[in-house]
Amino acid sequence: LVQSYGVEIVCEEAKLIEQDKIEASENIYQCKNIILATGSKPANIKGLETDGQFILNSNDILNLKEIPENILIVGSGAIGVEWARIFNALDKNVTVVELAERLLPLADIEVSKRLDRLFKKNKIKFFTGTKVESIKDKTVLLSNGQELVFDMVLCAIGREPVLPKIEGVSIDLNGKFVKVDDNFRTNISNIFAVGDLVGKMLLAHSAVHQAVSVIDYITEQKQCHFDTNSVPSVIYGNPEIAWVGKTEEMLADIEYRVSNFPVAALGKAMAD
């Protein structure tokens, strides 16, 4: 599809060598504008470094040759919850450990409570307010004092940016992520960054919207309009989970009203 629009695709490791130059293999590409979109990779934490055999990340797990019977998942964000439900549906023993005081801590507390009930109903074990203290052989010591034996550990603690190779210029960072303004421009006027690299929302549909907005800004000078409150977050599984906008916890100092509508009264949801 991209090639049909006359876009040249170069599959090489590249680096930014000047404000308007990219080097790939032995070729130099001169560019009026540059968009950095190098994405992200699974995050690592000390003590849970992945080895591709016993401790896996969300990339490694796609290469499994067989599915273990007893699985520990560290983290209950979107990745952890999705894989917990997948393995549970495949009739495997699943345990989830979450450092926060509730499952799915970025979601509204009502969603977390419902997920809590779903996990219990489906016999997915979970510990909140708990962390992995140590791993020896296949025995995992938790901060609550429990020692449990697993066949595999999935480290699902989030993602971190893949920073592009840069020489000759300096791109400002915001923590681990590339710092951009409201139009996704970096501190260098003709260099932009979008997607997981900027850390606004690490979601594919969010990245696509940012990229389209940047193209409109470069070609037509249209200001980018990216409001994280308008971007849905989704978690696949059964039932599906999604939310958009601020949670009730974020609105603690603002007057608001709660309305609930049961899934049982939604014809399409029941048909699905």
Side-chain angles (χ1 to χ4, degrees), residues 50 53 79 91 115 123 131 140 161 174 176 250 255 261:
T50 55
Q53 295 178 321
I79 296 169
D91 204 26
L115 185 64
K123 296 182 171 54
K131 66 178 180 177
V140 178
N174 180 17
K176 289 183 177 181
M250 293 176 182
E255 189 174 337
F261 196 88

Side-chain angles (χ1 to χ4, degrees), residues 5 16 20 26 28 39 46 69 84 96 111 117 135 148-149 175 204 214 224 230 233 255 260:
Y5 282 92
L16 187 63
D20 59 351
E26 297 178 356
I28 304 293
K46 192 174 180 182
E69 290 297 321
V96 176
V111 176
R117 295 201 291 274
I135 297 176
L148 303 169
V149 177
V214 167
C224 294
S230 301
S233 294
E255 189 174 337
N260 290 309

Side-chain angles (χ1 to χ4, degrees), residues 167-207:
E167 295 177 3
V169 291
S170 180
I171 304 282
D172 289 347
L173 298 181
N174 180 17
K176 289 183 177 181
F177 299 94
V178 170
K179 185 178 181 180
V180 293
D181 65 13
D182 290 342
N183 291 308
F184 296 92
R185 192 199 301 267
T186 67
N187 56 300
I188 298 174
S189 61
N190 68 314
I191 299 178
F192 301 81
V194 296
D196 288 6
L197 187 60
V198 302
K200 289 184 182 289
M201 292 189 87
L202 278 67
L203 299 165
H205 52 278
S206 163

Side-chain angles (χ1 to χ4, degrees), residues 215-271:
I215 295 299
D216 286 344
Y217 178 74
I218 291 172
T219 58
E220 301 176 32
Q221 286 72 57
K222 286 184 182 176
Q223 296 294 304
C224 294
H225 296 289
F226 181 77
D227 179 6
T228 55
N229 288 312
S230 301
V231 181
S233 294
V234 295
I235 295 177
Y236 299 101
N238 183 27
E240 296 165 330
I241 299 171
W243 66 91
V244 65
K246 295 186 183 298
T247 65
E248 286 192 63
E249 294 72 48
M250 293 176 182
L251 299 173
D253 300 323
I254 300 171
E255 189 174 337
Y256 64 92
R257 187 174 70 180
V258 176
S259 297
N260 290 309
F261 196 88
V263 170
L266 286 168
K268 183 178 183 298
M270 294 306 293

